[in-house]
Amino acid sequence: MANSTEFSPSDAVAILTRTPAILNAWLRGLPEAWVLRNEGKDTWSAFDIVGHLIVGERTDWMPRVRVILEDGEARPFDPFDRFAQAKESRGKSLEQLLDDFTRLRRENLAALRAQNLQPEDVTRRGRHPALGVVTLSELLATWAVHDLTHMHQLSRVMAHQYRDAVGPWSAYLGVLRCSGHSAP
Amino acid sequence: MANSTEFSPSDAVAILTRTPAILNAWLRGLPEAWVLRNEGKDTWSAFDIVGHLIVGERTDWMPRVRVILEDGEARPFDPFDRFAQAKESRGKSLEQLLDDFTRLRRENLAALRAQNLQPEDVTRRGRHPALGVVTLSELLATWAVHDLTHMHQLSRVMAHQYRDAVGPWSAYLGVLRCSGHSAP
């Protein structure tokens, strides 16, 4: 089956609903080396990634849904601080971050359901501070793909720790050839 | 924290133990479009990926551990058929595949524990049919990174379905720039 460009909010929500359980299954109770190591200078660990997802839940996704529904293009979105987690996660354990993310995502999806979006609502427009005019459907699809881009990053960050340990098998393991595409 | 090359079998097992729960949280009950769509001709869907992981459990990882422990370099490993899942998954549901993978992984990790590996065992050597001499520690690290490479692929295959739906945000989503590195 080839790819499709048709967008259904319920398909995006199917991803968004699952991410907390995926991250809990993946990270909770893992040995610390897997959680705290990154890919080198100015790169993120699993701990940093979960912190970044929390900031998105607090400041990005649902706030922007509300701006589109309430103000449309008239009010640009607030810029998203991609580095806020360094401060916000300080002193917390990974388990606390996973709990926070799980709760915030549940609250945000409840708030999204409460908007009772109708099919025609997904074409409503907002204004991104850098990208210009975007639609609600693009925002919801991006929320889901943002989860996926950080799972893509998480698998790569963890695989990186075994870059040498796998010996000659590195030739067969695509994740070890992923450069991060200058972004997660 | 930078990366480390030190290898501990228990760290690899920490990953291997979690993969079935991660895939169940990620895929069980997902709308069919997410499960069956791929990245185009000769690429894999989520369904294909789980099928491939099952073949690995049946024919690759623990059988090769046993070859190393019983025959060392004297007997090369059997080659791994990377396309066997097309036949083996036919007629099954994703839920059946997830059940099969969960059971096989549990059995294989029990069999690994039963080997009661000692620290010096991880330096024992075997012979890969294409890569030549490899060690038991390299095999165990590769088993774990193989899981991660397919989670890396899974996030990319799913994100690909929203390549157009995210609109201008595609510029910020690294997973959409991942080419697959000519391998998963």
Side-chain angles (χ1 to χ4, degrees):
Chain A
M1 218 186 274
N3 66 312
S4 159
T5 58
E6 205 174 320
F7 176 79
S8 149
S10 66
D11 284 349
V13 168
I15 300 292
L16 293 167
T17 305
R18 281 165 170 79
T19 303
I22 297 169
L23 292 177
N24 273 285
W26 200 330
L27 296 175
R28 193 175 288 268
L30 258 195
E32 202 166 67
W34 286 120
V35 171
L36 296 181
R37 287 188 178 137
N38 60 25
E39 297 173 284
K41 190 167 180 296
D42 294 333
T43 65
W44 291 2
S45 65
F47 185 86
D48 298 325
I49 291 170
V50 180
H52 167 75
L53 290 171
I54 288 172
V55 177
E57 293 304 304
R58 282 197 208 283
T59 69
D60 189 328
W61 309 108
M62 274 309 293
R64 290 180 172 192
V65 169
R66 290 191 192 96
V67 169
I68 289 180
L69 294 176
E70 291 165 19
D71 302 298
E73 297 173 57
R75 182 188 145 199
F77 305 146
D78 295 331
F80 180 33
D81 181 354
R82 290 184 54 246
F83 302 97
Q85 63 275 5
K87 200 171 80 179
E88 295 203 12
S89 302
R90 200 169 294 152
K92 295 194 173 175
S93 67
L94 179 74
E95 282 63 29
Q96 284 175 286
L97 295 188
L98 289 168
D99 288 344
D100 288 351
F101 176 64
T102 301
R103 178 178 50 76
L104 289 164
R105 174 58 60 87
R106 190 172 52 232
E107 290 170 1
N108 279 330
L109 291 179
L112 181 66
R113 268 193 306 279
Q115 294 286 355
N116 192 26
L117 293 180
Q118 301 302 305
E120 62 274 19
D121 287 329
V122 300
T123 63
R124 292 177 69 170
R125 292 146 68 105
R127 187 173 297 278
H128 187 282
L131 299 171
V133 173
V134 292
T135 65
L136 181 57
S137 77
E138 288 167 351
L139 175 61
L140 296 175
T142 299
W143 191 1
V145 176
H146 183 263
D147 280 7
L148 293 168
T149 212
H150 286 292
M151 293 201 262
H152 182 258
Q153 179 186 29
L154 179 59
S155 62
R156 190 186 66 235
V157 172
M158 293 177 66
H160 177 76
Q161 312 312 320
Y162 274 1
R163 187 173 288 281
D164 298 324
V166 299
W169 266 291
S170 61
Y172 294 171
L173 295 162
V175 67
L176 296 176
R177 291 201 288 285
C178 183
S179 64
H181 327 290
S182 306
Chain B
M1 217 185 272
N3 65 312
S4 160
T5 58
E6 206 174 318
F7 176 79
S8 147
S10 67
D11 284 349
V13 168
I15 299 292
L16 293 167
T17 305
R18 281 164 169 80
T19 303
I22 297 169
L23 293 177
N24 274 284
W26 201 331
L27 296 174
R28 192 175 290 268
L30 256 195
E32 202 167 67
W34 287 121
V35 171
L36 296 181
R37 287 188 178 136
N38 60 26
E39 297 174 285
K41 189 168 182 296
D42 294 333
T43 65
W44 290 3
S45 65
F47 184 86
D48 298 326
I49 291 168
V50 180
H52 168 75
L53 290 171
I54 288 173
V55 177
E57 293 305 303
R58 282 197 205 284
T59 68
D60 190 328
W61 309 109
M62 275 308 295
R64 290 179 172 190
V65 168
R66 290 192 191 96
V67 169
I68 289 180
L69 294 175
E70 290 164 19
D71 302 297
E73 297 174 58
R75 183 188 146 199
F77 305 146
D78 294 332
F80 180 32
D81 181 354
R82 291 186 53 245
F83 302 98
Q85 64 274 8
K87 200 171 80 181
E88 296 204 11
S89 301
R90 201 170 291 154
K92 295 195 174 176
S93 68
L94 178 74
E95 281 64 30
Q96 283 175 288
L97 295 189
L98 288 168
D99 288 345
D100 288 352
F101 175 63
T102 301
R103 178 179 49 77
L104 288 164
R105 174 60 58 88
R106 190 172 53 233
E107 290 170 2
N108 279 330
L109 291 179
L112 181 66
R113 267 194 306 280
Q115 294 286 354
N116 192 25
L117 293 180
Q118 302 302 305
E120 63 275 18
D121 287 328
V122 299
T123 62
R124 293 176 68 169
R125 292 149 67 106
R127 186 173 297 278
H128 186 283
L131 300 172
V133 173
V134 291
T135 65
L136 181 56
S137 78
E138 289 167 349
L139 175 62
L140 295 175
T142 299
W143 191 1
V145 177
H146 182 263
D147 281 7
L148 293 168
T149 211
H150 286 292
M151 292 199 264
H152 182 259
Q153 179 186 29
L154 179 58
S155 62
R156 191 186 66 235
V157 172
M158 293 178 67
H160 176 75
Q161 312 312 320
Y162 273 1
R163 185 173 288 282
D164 298 323
V166 299
W169 266 292
S170 61
Y172 293 172
L173 295 162
V175 66
L176 296 176
R177 292 202 287 284
C178 182
S179 64
H181 327 291
S182 308

